Every structure is written in structure tokens, then in C-alpha cells.
Amino acid sequence: MTTEHTVAVLGPGGTGGLLAALLSRSGHRVVCLAQDRTADTLRRTGITVHSAQFGEFTAPVEADTALREPVDACLIAVKHTALDAALTRVPPKALGDALVVPLLNGVEHPAALRARYRADRVAPAVIRVESTRVAPGVIEHGSPFTEIDLAGDAVPRARLDGLAATLVSAGVTARVVEAETAALWAKMAFLAPFALLTTRYGLPLGEARTRHREELESLVAETAAVSRACGAPADPAQALARYDAFPPGAKSSMQRDAEAGRPLELDAIGGALLRAADRHGVPVPVTARLVDELRAAGH
């Protein structure tokens, strides 16, 4: 039996809310950090999850607008566009020795977090899940999986193993991976072409991969070249095979944000890719054009 841990969750939305509810249900203490109204709702109603993988359940959580006491780990589950504002809820002094576990898209956020918190406690993670907050404290979990790869080159391995065990005890498929850069770029190399193409053309993946095949192949090749330049292996053929295996109706989270009129993570994904390409002298003409066109469209 895993020891009970106290975990803070910054941003109890689709991803954060699901993890908060799972951790609470398995006997861990969970403190959700959110805006006043959301925190008030969560304190009263807990978090209700509708999930094919985990069933239907409601789990109690604590909630506050800021972290006020030490915790074992703080999961950061906000979108990149909200990160700076959200971090004001997690003062470095209150955090103490806790692991900081960002579940964000992109590759640039670990450096920003290490500048603010203890560098040897920032453990970037990659999560594979499809989960949506339909109302405060109500989560629809659509994917038949919830997988987390934990990394952190400077973090003591025992701390990473302990957090992985806590997540596994809650039903998550969690593992510790050796190379942080490779883990972050593996997600980026898959996500960037998918997000940029589906959002630019407003099409689900099935239509986008058929009607804009040449562009998809170029995006995949460019992203893989940047990934390799950053020291992370990438296999363009494998990436294309994964896109082709996806359900045709699949949409990227960036595309869903565009449809809902929310701010896009365009800079965290497209912008970061272009900056890395520029640093390493890798030509990325198709990626640059799509990012420019999305920015010109007001994103």
C-alpha cells in the first residue's frame, strides 16, 4: 500500500480535475488551487468524473485560491496561456521541498519553472489523455487510457519513483523515463504537426491528413529534424503511422480552443518549435508559414 501523500493540483480542469479525483479516490489528500468561484464549488461538491476507464464517481477535494502549506507534489495542469497568472497561486516559499510537476504542452516551460522554484524539484511530465471539464468539478474522460511519463534530469530518482507509485496507486499508468529532453520532444514532435494542421484548416484529423497530406508530411519531417537537433530521437514514418491510426474525427486541443474562441497555445507549440529551429539552423518553411497564417488570423 502506498503511503498517503498530499498533492496540490494547480488548474483542476480536464486533466488536473481527473488526476485530482483519482488521487482523492485512492486515499491521498488533494488540494485544488483555482479561482474563488471554482474553489468554492469544489469544496462543496467535490469532483465528479464520467469515465469509460474509471467509471462514474465523485471524490471530495480540498480547494483554495493559493497554496498555504507544504505538499509532497504540485501538479501544474493549466494551459500554457494561463501559466504566468496561475503561478501566483503557488508561492515558492509555501512550496518548500515539493516536486513541481508541469503537465504542459511545449518544451520551454521547465526552464521558466526552474528559475522560479528549486531547480532540482522540477519534474516535467508528459501526459496522454483526452479529458474535458464540462463544468466546475465535472470531468468527462474520453480516452481509454491515462498515461504519464515523469522526467527530471536533476530530480532525485527516489522522489520520481515515489510520485510514480502514488499515481499508479490512483489508477494512472505512470512511469519514470530517463531523458527529459527526449520525453518532451517526443510529445512535441507528435503534437505540433497535428495541432498546426487541424487548427489552420479547421478540419478533424481524418480530413486534414487526406486533403493536406503533403503539408502533413512536411510538418512531420521538419519537426523531426528540429527534435533531432535538440538531441531527441524522432521517427517521421512512425509519426505518420500514428496519425493514420487515429480516429478520423480526432481534433487537437488547439483546434478545440480555436472553435471555442479561447486563447491558443500557438506560441508554446508553434513559436517554441520555430525558436528551436532558429537556434539550430534547421529550415522549417511549412511550419513557419502555418504559424504565420494562424497568427495573421488573429490567433
Side-chain angles (χ1 to χ4, degrees):
M1 179 63 196
T2 315
T3 333
E4 182 195 319
H5 285 104
T6 300
V7 179
V9 176
L10 178 64
T15 299
L18 174 65
L19 295 175
L22 289 171
L23 287 163
S24 168
R25 180 173 77 157
S26 64
H28 300 288
R29 181 175 169 231
V30 177
V31 183
C32 291
L33 304 173
Q35 295 175 357
D36 261 321
R37 190 179 298 177
T38 300
D40 187 50
T41 301
L42 296 183
R43 274 194 293 269
R44 285 186 291 106
T45 66
I47 297 176
T48 297
V49 172
H50 305 284
S51 165
Q53 184 184 9
F54 300 113
E56 314 265 323
F57 68 95
T58 299
V61 293
E62 296 174 38
D64 206 337
T65 54
L67 185 66
R68 302 177 201 282
E69 58 179 307
V71 291
D72 295 300
C74 178
L75 308 182
I76 299 181
V78 294
K79 287 275 177 87
H80 214 290
T81 47
L83 181 62
D84 288 347
L87 288 179
T88 60
R89 303 188 189 284
V90 186
K93 198 171 176 184
L95 198 62
D97 187 46
L99 286 184
V100 177
V101 186
L103 299 158
L104 281 77
N105 293 325
V107 292
E108 295 177 335
H109 56 274
L113 290 168
R114 288 188 172 115
R116 180 180 171 88
Y117 303 110
R118 278 187 60 171
D120 60 347
R121 292 294 181 268
V122 175
V126 171
I127 185 162
R128 289 176 290 277
V129 69
E130 189 183 314
S131 188
T132 310
R133 184 187 95 148
V134 292
V138 182
I139 307 296
E140 296 270 1
H141 170 224
S143 57
F145 51 82
T146 308
E147 301 169 353
I148 294 180
D149 290 347
L150 281 171
D153 295 345
V155 180
R157 178 63 190 242
R159 294 292 301 269
L160 295 174
D161 287 338
L163 179 58
T166 298
L167 291 165
V168 167
S169 77
V172 177
T173 303
R175 60 180 186 154
V176 177
V177 296
E178 293 299 331
E180 176 183 314
T181 300
L184 291 171
W185 272 101
K187 171 91 180 257
M188 180 76 144
F190 178 77
L191 180 66
F194 178 28
L196 295 173
L197 196 69
T198 55
T199 308
R200 167 63 183 84
Y201 294 109
L203 294 172
L205 182 58
E207 282 182 77
R209 71 189 173 206
T210 308
R211 288 164 56 179
H212 301 280
R213 187 70 182 184
E214 210 172 295
E215 276 175 280
L216 178 59
E217 289 175 357
S218 297
L219 285 170
V220 168
E222 290 176 5
T223 308
V226 177
S227 180
R228 284 193 296 265
C230 293
D235 181 344
Q238 191 181 29
L240 279 170
R242 279 183 71 195
Y243 295 126
D244 288 336
F246 255 54
K251 293 182 176 185
S252 65
S253 58
M254 187 188 284
Q255 182 185 358
R256 290 184 192 281
D257 286 341
E259 290 172 351
R262 292 188 290 262
L264 301 193
E265 292 188 300
L266 184 58
D267 189 63
I269 297 169
L273 188 53
L274 296 181
R275 287 187 287 274
D278 191 48
R279 275 198 309 278
H280 292 283
V282 178
V284 286
V286 177
T287 305
R289 177 172 59 75
L290 288 190
V291 171
D292 284 348
E293 287 170 356
L294 285 164
R295 283 180 176 150
H299 299 308

